[in-house]
Amino acid sequence: MAKVSVQIITWNSMRYIFDCLESLMRQNFRDFSVIIIDNGSDDGTVEFIRNNYPTVSVLQNFKNIGLSKANDQGIKLAKGEYVLIMNPDVILAANFLQDIVNFADQHPEGGVFGSKVLKLKSEAIDQGDQNGLRESIRSNIIDSAGLEIFKSRKVINRGEGQKDNGQYDRTQEVFGISGACVLYRRKALEEIKIRQEYFDYDFFAYKEDIDICWRMHLYGYGCWYHPQAVCYHYRRLSAPDDKNIRSIVKSRKEVSKMLRALSFRNQHLMIVKNDQFINILMAWPWFLFWELKIIFYALIFEPFQYREIVKFFKLLPSMLLKRRTIMAHKVTKPKEIRKWFI
């Protein structure tokens, strides 16, 4: 039985999957297995994997069932001590698995482990050649050095867009790890699942990684950032370089309405499930200001978000039931959670 179960969710991922799988095959740590869960690709992704990577297992869904359900399919099949979930648009450095697994072994109190994630050059990826593992598409721009959360409950990737000058080279606990590439301790996943769900199916996709990290903290598990392990990610939804309203609107319009809608809805579902009343009360000015800001933004620039408000209220009873389970099993006091809100 392999120590690490690697799983990748694909959905029309043909232009990424070669570099992704090649980086896995070139790992100096070999005690791992790989499963692809495909969400109804019609671009040849599944055929390419089956023809070229016979050691990779493929579970084929015939429609897009979402990241949460697909990831749970993989976790339920996984036999390893650890589960590595990675996007198909991620490339691992050759020593990635060795570094992150060694670190996880030394920190049994941790449930979630992440690496330094640097950006891939989008213009090179868009060329889509498959002539070899392309070193040229890697950059020294930070994509994520873990997740941090503000008193407003806004969550961002630490260091995103900054040049990597070693400013995030310290191993430390963080609020969360980006779901683009994250290692979970299987034992921790079993302890935090709710009604046989590891990831929340109601989220479908997007922010399900933040939700599960928040739950890990509540259940007493740490989330660790270990920068000696490195990977590279092509991120479609990035924070705008400029903070003026024009650049924000332009940046968001480059992202599909579906992703923007899921982001808006899931942010609020996540708060209902995991936040504690005393912590919201103590952050009320920041929380209220941010809520008013995003609501007014939606009123003016994204009126389609009204549908997500309706969906939110339809899902609210389910979230409250899940919240009851979480709060009944949490072991971490509000004060300990509050230290993460900056």
Side-chain angles (χ1 to χ4, degrees):
M1 181 177 69
K3 183 167 186 171
V4 180
S5 300
V6 179
Q7 64 185 56
I8 305 166
I9 312 301
T10 54
W11 181 54
N12 292 332
S13 306
M14 186 63 190
R15 65 174 176 160
Y16 308 117
I17 198 64
F18 174 77
D19 283 321
C20 177
L21 290 177
E22 281 298 304
S23 74
L24 267 170
M25 298 306 145
R26 300 183 190 197
Q27 291 296 297
N28 51 29
F29 176 93
R30 304 305 305 168
D31 193 8
F32 68 91
S33 62
V34 184
I35 182 170
I36 303 287
I37 301 97
D38 185 77
N39 268 345
S41 294
D42 58 9
D43 67 343
T45 299
V46 172
E47 293 78 7
F48 175 80
I49 295 166
R50 285 177 170 159
N51 290 336
N52 294 279
Y53 296 94
T55 61
V56 173
S57 301
V58 179
L59 173 62
Q60 191 171 9
N61 296 313
F62 293 99
K63 65 177 182 178
N64 187 354
I65 63 171
L67 277 175
S68 294
K69 281 188 178 181
N71 271 322
D72 271 26
Q73 286 180 324
I75 294 169
K76 288 170 182 176
L77 292 171
K79 304 297 183 184
E81 180 181 350
Y82 298 103
V83 178
L84 178 73
I85 294 178
M86 59 185 290
N87 286 3
D89 56 0
V90 165
I91 295 175
L92 307 179
N95 61 347
F96 175 91
L97 281 175
Q98 186 72 66
D99 286 340
I100 203 161
V101 171
N102 284 348
F103 180 81
D105 283 344
Q106 295 163 15
H107 292 79
E109 77 286 0
V112 186
F113 304 90
S115 68
K116 180 188 289 184
V117 187
L118 301 175
K119 289 186 181 290
L120 291 171
K121 299 174 184 177
S122 59
E123 64 274 12
I125 282 186
D126 288 338
Q127 293 172 4
D129 72 67
Q130 294 178 0
N131 295 322
L133 193 58
R134 297 166 288 164
E135 302 292 332
S136 62
I137 67 177
R138 306 181 185 192
S139 79
N140 64 343
I141 305 300
I142 295 171
D143 183 75
S144 181
L147 301 174
E148 56 187 9
I149 188 169
F150 294 87
K151 291 183 177 71
S152 63
R153 295 346 187 222
K154 177 184 178 182
V155 180
I156 66 168
N157 287 292
R158 284 198 320 153
E160 184 180 358
Q162 298 177 22
K163 186 176 181 180
D164 179 23
N165 292 314
Q167 67 271 42
Y168 294 102
D169 277 359
R170 182 169 69 91
T171 293
Q172 64 183 99
E173 282 194 85
V174 290
F175 174 72
I177 299 296
S178 167
C181 187
V182 54
L183 185 76
Y184 295 102
R185 189 181 302 280
R186 178 60 186 264
K187 176 177 176 287
L189 287 172
E190 293 302 326
E191 289 188 23
I192 68 161
K193 68 181 177 183
I194 301 173
R195 294 189 296 184
Q196 303 306 309
E197 295 180 11
Y198 304 98
F199 290 90
D200 193 321
Y201 295 1
D202 289 326
F203 279 48
F204 187 79
Y206 208 70
K207 298 201 175 181
E208 78 289 341
D209 51 348
I210 307 170
D211 172 65
I212 205 168
C213 287
W214 201 331
R215 206 182 330 148
M216 285 281 186
H217 283 297
L218 288 168
Y219 280 60
Y221 282 98
C223 298
W224 282 91
Y225 166 70
H226 183 57
Q228 281 63 53
V230 177
C231 67
Y232 301 83
H233 179 221
Y234 171 55
R235 184 180 296 276
R236 294 182 182 181
L237 179 55
S238 298
D241 296 330
D242 226 343
K243 297 301 179 183
N244 64 65
I245 191 66
R246 181 178 294 179
S247 67
I248 291 172
V249 172
K250 181 181 177 182
S251 174
R252 286 183 65 84
K253 282 187 175 180
E254 293 174 358
V255 180
S256 71
K257 283 186 178 181
M258 183 183 77
L259 280 182
R260 284 181 279 163
L262 288 170
S263 174
F264 180 84
R265 184 187 77 201
N266 292 348
Q267 170 74 12
H268 296 91
L269 295 178
M270 177 178 66
I271 290 169
V272 169
K273 277 180 64 181
N274 301 295
D275 219 336
Q276 292 153 292
F277 294 124
I278 184 63
N279 287 345
I280 291 180
L281 186 63
M282 296 189 72
W284 187 251
W286 296 274
F287 181 77
L288 181 61
F289 176 75
W290 180 250
E291 284 298 308
L292 290 173
K293 187 175 178 180
I294 61 176
I295 288 170
F296 278 118
Y297 181 92
L299 277 170
I300 298 169
F301 298 105
E302 296 181 353
F304 63 87
Q305 299 285 19
Y306 282 113
R307 294 193 298 271
E308 299 312 309
I309 296 174
V310 173
K311 291 178 184 177
F312 167 80
F313 282 105
K314 286 182 178 179
L315 290 169
L316 186 57
S318 175
M319 291 302 111
L320 291 173
L321 284 173
K322 292 172 185 176
R323 174 186 178 83
R324 184 181 301 175
T325 301
I326 292 168
M327 295 303 154
H329 291 86
K330 67 177 176 60
V331 298
T332 307
K333 295 180 179 179
K335 184 178 180 181
E336 288 300 304
I337 298 296
R338 197 156 59 240
K339 72 181 182 181
W340 297 112
F341 304 132
I342 61 177

